[in-house]
Amino acid sequence: MSTSDPLDFFDDVDQTAAVPRAPRRKRHLWDRFSIYLPVLLMGMLALASYWLLRATPAPLSAEPERPVSSEPDYFMRRFSVKAFDAKGTLKTEVTGAEARHYPASDKVEIDNARIRHISEQGLPTLATARLVTTNGDNTEFVLEGNAVIVREAGTDTTGKPQPRLEFRGEFLHVFLEPDRIVSDRPVTLFRGTDRLLADTLDYTGADQVALFKGRVKVQLAPR
């Protein structure tokens, strides 16, 4: 090798020797791993889902239906409730010292009640009692304790005059649909100036007929 030429050392290199290559074993292992990678990921996902399912608390079982309470669920004191028809005309007004609603029967008890109802002919009816029990749609009333029902004089659908009616007793059962007043206890009926006492009463407003049973006493005013 000449000292004058710095590239003469290439003459001593054996250029026929093979160039070393990267080992194929690592590449083969990576290829196999990449093939099974989706399977491994799905297995891990399945294990995670199973663990999540085990960790999730079981749903609560449906509670059995509780019996409806026989105790009142709400109160009203010194109240006034009005009901109107589809045309906005006042039909019924109920006032009282206290009202209690019973969910088991959907009935309302009213202390010192006062009920005012307007008939289809426009005639007012006034009812008062120490205790009134009414149903959910206010079409039926039970009056107890110094019960009084007054129907003012007027005319019926045919224009015929109707006298003033007044019912008195310790128990009166009033139906609005159809118009009816019933009692199985002594009742006093005033019709105009006439007075009638009976042990029971069944009065129908549509035909103005009253049925009495038991002892009946009639006092007619002179005409």
Side-chain angles (χ1 to χ4, degrees):
M1 180 178 62
S2 173
T3 58
S4 63
D5 188 359
L7 300 179
D8 287 343
F9 71 92
F10 280 105
D11 296 335
D12 298 332
V13 178
D14 187 2
Q15 298 183 7
T16 61
V19 179
R21 298 181 178 179
R24 295 184 177 180
R25 185 176 182 181
K26 291 184 179 181
R27 181 180 299 176
H28 181 68
L29 291 175
W30 175 253
D31 292 341
R32 296 186 61 183
F33 178 74
S34 62
I35 293 174
Y36 291 103
L37 181 60
V39 179
L40 293 175
L41 291 177
M42 294 198 58
M44 293 177 64
L45 182 60
L47 289 175
S49 300
Y50 175 76
W51 175 84
L52 183 61
L53 181 62
R54 292 292 301 271
T56 303
L60 298 177
S61 57
E63 295 183 1
E65 294 185 3
R66 297 181 180 179
V68 181
S69 174
S70 59
E71 298 296 324
D73 56 354
Y74 70 80
F75 298 83
M76 292 188 296
R77 292 184 175 89
R78 297 180 181 179
F79 68 96
S80 175
V81 178
K82 298 180 181 181
F84 300 85
D85 61 12
K87 298 180 180 179
T89 304
L90 177 65
K91 297 297 295 182
T92 306
E93 180 180 6
V94 181
T95 60
E98 179 178 294
R100 299 169 295 276
H101 176 259
Y102 294 86
S105 58
D106 194 24
K107 292 184 178 181
V108 177
E109 289 183 350
I110 307 172
D111 296 333
N112 299 324
R114 183 180 184 273
I115 303 169
R116 186 171 181 266
H117 177 71
I118 308 299
S119 67
E120 294 182 357
Q121 293 77 31
L123 302 179
T125 297
L126 179 64
T128 59
R130 287 196 296 268
L131 177 65
V132 172
T133 303
T134 177
N135 59 350
D137 54 1
N138 293 326
T139 58
E140 185 177 342
F141 300 87
V142 176
L143 286 67
E144 299 177 87
N146 195 23
V148 179
I149 300 175
V150 178
R151 295 190 172 183
E152 299 297 341
T155 56
D156 59 14
T157 55
T158 62
K160 182 179 179 180
Q162 298 296 327
R164 179 181 184 273
L165 294 176
E166 180 176 342
F167 304 83
R168 290 181 174 269
E170 288 300 308
F171 177 87
L172 295 173
H173 196 163
V174 182
F175 300 87
L176 299 183
E177 300 175 1
D179 184 10
R180 187 183 177 198
I181 300 175
V182 179
S183 180
D184 58 358
R185 305 178 195 177
V187 176
T188 301
L189 170 61
F190 297 89
R191 186 178 185 275
T193 56
D194 299 335
R195 178 183 179 188
L196 187 148
L197 289 81
D199 290 340
T200 64
L201 168 69
D202 190 344
Y203 171 82
T204 304
D207 50 14
Q208 301 287 321
V209 174
L211 300 177
F212 305 97
K213 293 182 180 180
R215 295 173 297 177
V216 179
K217 296 181 180 181
V218 180
Q219 181 179 348
L220 300 178
R223 297 293 192 273

